[in-house]
């Protein structure tokens, strides 16, 4: 398999509600640049929206890094969310449909995972949380 | 924070979501609609989402909540104009929008609301489900 | 990649799966159907799988997703013609196809769709007018 | 018990989506040759389809070896999937209904196991994955 190259990158701070909207908009623009189909654009923007909200609400704010990626000949988009919040003690549980500690629907993490091609979650209590998702073109 | 305007057309409240909703705006819309249903005695709520590019779990929940609240207040909610890509994404996300009536466009949505209001609940009771 | 054709018969979209579906073709069908439902205002989708020799978890999920998406878009989906060996295998695989309506053959499926659309409240009201 | 004899064998590379379909078709032909019942043909082809997709998606591609096997007087079919992918750290977990790291239904391994007579899974992180399934005639 060819290596992944990163050809453009942008950082968005996630501090307030409106930043979640900004992440969505920038994610959309990047997905258009990567020539994802409309359905794939919609999926990755929706996943990013879920994760940005988690970064804000559970992580107490953080950052999103958006990247245009390429694994020749396929283009794609990648977005990483990082926060210095409380972290997640039981990751498998957090990834379960319907599980929430905050009164959400509990579909953010599990649903986001279903919507993308690659999903990585790193977290430990006290050590913050990082989630990286990638969506490849077809 | 932006606010989504609510129009009144006869006994129906019309909402057309034209902006990328931040969570606070979605919550405000939910509250504004409940108040307007009570204030106006509206029997129907039509929410046009044809301009909405994504429905994530927060916005999906807003739609379900609006439908449930309006039902309690004796009004019916119809969501119209959902884009195909949004529908596919919603389902894969795991949202079914159970309890939310949908229609293709504003015209079909209004027909549905008119029918729901004209056919009184007790008449429908025999037919439902 | 092959694409599965979609036919329109009145307010129903008809799909007959005649090829051994690769995953990309299944995904494309899902998307094509959602678009056609919205573009045509179809109220029913009938998927004939009588020529399908296996339904694995990917194709099973495609059927469930199509059913759920069409529901969100105000249309009903019926899957017809499942072979007995496929049905047995599906169950042992662990797939229940929850939410997917099934019928024995195309004729019964069309009847089921007609019934589902005819009992809609707006249709009732339309007749009363 | 009589020893197992292999009387025909064929290899299929699994690199793209369409190869999963090829595995299904070759598996079907072999199951017909082995005179499996229609239901048993359907079961083993379905199991092979699940495993071929895993080889492609999680294993990053690999190979399937299809064999006609005989343990006198019973005939059967066997198919082995091998990849040099990341491997599986927790095999018991991977075999749990509903467990997925990729947004699938999590029924591929567990379901395939239910559909066949013999199921072997060998994997370790970094060492790739091999799955061998066998279905015997009645
Ligand atoms: N960035 C994060 N930091 C800490 N905990 C998190 C984070 N993201 C998710 N979680 C935890 O995982 C749970 C499940 O998240 P999710 O599936 O998105 O559902 P919801 O957002 O509806 O709660 C959350 O309720 C929370 O406890
Ligand atoms: N060939 C493989 N290489 C690495 N991991 C695998 C492989 N096959 C399966 N897995 C792991 O096992 C999990 C469960 O697989 P499976 O039961 O087939 O469900 P699904 O395919 O829906 O994810 C996968 O999500 C993946 O993490």
């Amino acid at each position: 398999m060819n290596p992944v190259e990163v050809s453009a990158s942008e950082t968005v701070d996630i501090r307030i509600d409106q930043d979640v909207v900004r992440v969505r908009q920038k994610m959309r623009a990047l997905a258009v640049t990567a020539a994802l189909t409309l359905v794939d654009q919609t999926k990755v923007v929706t996943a990013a929206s879920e994760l940005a909200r988690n970064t804000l609400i559970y992580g107490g704010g953080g950052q999103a890094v958006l990247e245009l990626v390429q694994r020749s000949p396929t283009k794609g988009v990648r977005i990483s969310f990082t926060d210095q919040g409380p972290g997640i003690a039981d990751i498998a549980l957090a990834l379960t449909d319907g599980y929430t500690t905050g009164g959400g629907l509990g579909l953010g993490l599990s649903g986001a995972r279903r919507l993308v091609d690659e999903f990585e979650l790193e977290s430990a209590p006290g050590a913050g949380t990082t989630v990286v998702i990638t969506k490849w073109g077809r | 924070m932006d606010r989504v305007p609510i129009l009144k057309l006869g006994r129906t409240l019309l909402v057309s979501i034209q902006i990328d909703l931040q969570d606070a705006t979605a919550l405000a819309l939910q509250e504004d609609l409940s108040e307007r249903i009570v204030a106006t005695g509206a029997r129907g709520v039509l929410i046009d989402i044809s301009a909405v590019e994504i429905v994530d779990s927060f916005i999906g929940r807003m739609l379900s909540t609006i439908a449930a609240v309006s039902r309690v207040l004796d009004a019916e909610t119809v969501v119209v104009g959902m884009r195909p890509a949004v529908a596919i994404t919603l389902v894969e996300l795991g949202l079914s929008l159970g309890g939310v009536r949908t229609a293709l466009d504003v015209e079909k949505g209004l027909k549905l609301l008119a029918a729901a209001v004209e056919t009184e609940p007790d008449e429908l009771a025999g037919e439902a489900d």
Side-chain angles (χ1 to χ4, degrees), chain A residues 94-112:
Chain A
L95 278 165
T96 306
D97 269 358
Y99 177 80
T100 176
T101 60
L105 291 176
L107 292 173
L109 290 177
S110 53

Side-chain angles (χ1 to χ4, degrees), chain B residues 3-68:
Chain B
R3 255 185 142 84
V4 178
I6 301 172
L7 307 178
K8 186 167 177 293
L9 181 78
R11 295 156 87 188
T12 300
L13 300 179
L14 290 179
V15 173
S16 171
I17 300 175
Q18 308 276 353
I19 53 164
D20 202 335
L21 284 187
Q22 71 188 94
D23 291 2
T25 305
L27 287 179
L29 174 58
Q30 211 169 283
E31 290 164 17
D32 291 350
L33 265 175
S34 324
E35 271 163 31
R36 289 290 297 276
I37 293 171
V38 172
T40 63
R43 301 297 306 278
V45 175
L46 186 139
I47 305 179
D48 179 8
I49 61 167
S50 57
V52 171
E53 291 186 343
I54 68 142
V55 173
D56 66 6
S57 67
F58 196 91
I59 302 170
R61 180 148 82 143
M62 173 198 80
L63 295 174
S64 293
T65 303
I66 289 174

Side-chain angles (χ1 to χ4, degrees), chain A residues 3 13 46 65 103 114-115 120 128:
Chain A
D13 278 332
T46 304
V65 179
R114 278 190 290 271
L115 293 172
E120 285 164 55

